[in-house]
Amino acid sequence: MGRSYRTYLSRKFFVCNSCNTHVALFAHLRSKDYYGAFGAAALFEQLFNGIALGKEKEEMRTGRYVVRRILCCHCHSNIGWRYERAYEPSQKIKENLYILELERVSIRCEE
Ligand SMILES: [Zn+2]
């Protein structure tokens, strides 16, 4: 009998640096290969405890998008954005996904 290991992905999560509000689950991380307004960023399926601002058109390196800024619901720190619409066919996969600014959050692990 070998040793068995269990992984509790749902217990790894991200918190807002300013107020410790829980904002994302590690299990929802799709890719860390992104850049946000403040540096390193990551693509997530879902964010929590965010306030979505109005739609804005954004010109990015990969094309034009309609996005909504996401603020932490508690301290209003700018933690990322949601892709509402991608104009480039190759970027459509990002629609309805979220960018989390990794400079504005910290990872936590509860045992
Ligand atoms: Zn906050």
Side-chain angles (χ1 to χ4, degrees):
M1 290 265 292
R3 291 173 67 183
S4 65
Y5 294 91
R6 278 196 259 177
T7 307
Y8 295 103
L9 284 180
S10 64
R11 296 186 181 222
K12 274 171 98 174
F13 54 94
F14 292 83
V15 299
C16 171
N17 277 345
S18 313
C19 71
N20 287 319
T21 293
H22 297 190
V23 293
L25 284 174
F26 189 83
H28 289 156
L29 196 158
R30 286 271 193 94
S31 168
K32 278 183 119 177
D33 200 17
Y34 282 80
Y35 292 93
F38 312 108
L43 191 69
F44 281 80
E45 289 166 29
Q46 199 179 346
L47 296 184
F48 297 92
N49 300 317
I51 299 169
L53 300 184
K55 291 179 184 178
E56 300 170 45
K57 283 192 174 157
E58 285 261 359
E59 198 75 49
M60 300 188 196
R61 285 180 303 178
T62 50
R64 281 202 311 140
Y65 299 89
V66 175
V67 302
R68 291 168 76 125
R69 292 266 153 212
I70 306 288
L71 307 183
C72 168
C73 72
H74 186 67
C75 72
H76 295 178
S77 172
N78 185 347
I79 57 168
W81 67 82
R82 181 179 200 266
Y83 288 106
E84 296 288 329
R85 181 175 175 195
Y87 289 87
E88 291 294 321
S90 63
Q91 306 299 319
K92 289 278 183 197
I93 47 164
K94 295 178 186 170
E95 287 181 351
N96 303 318
L97 297 181
Y98 297 82
I99 286 292
L100 185 63
E101 300 275 3
L102 297 178
E103 304 298 315
R104 295 286 171 97
V105 298
S106 302
I107 193 160
R108 290 285 160 78
C109 198
E110 271 181 4
E111 298 301 333

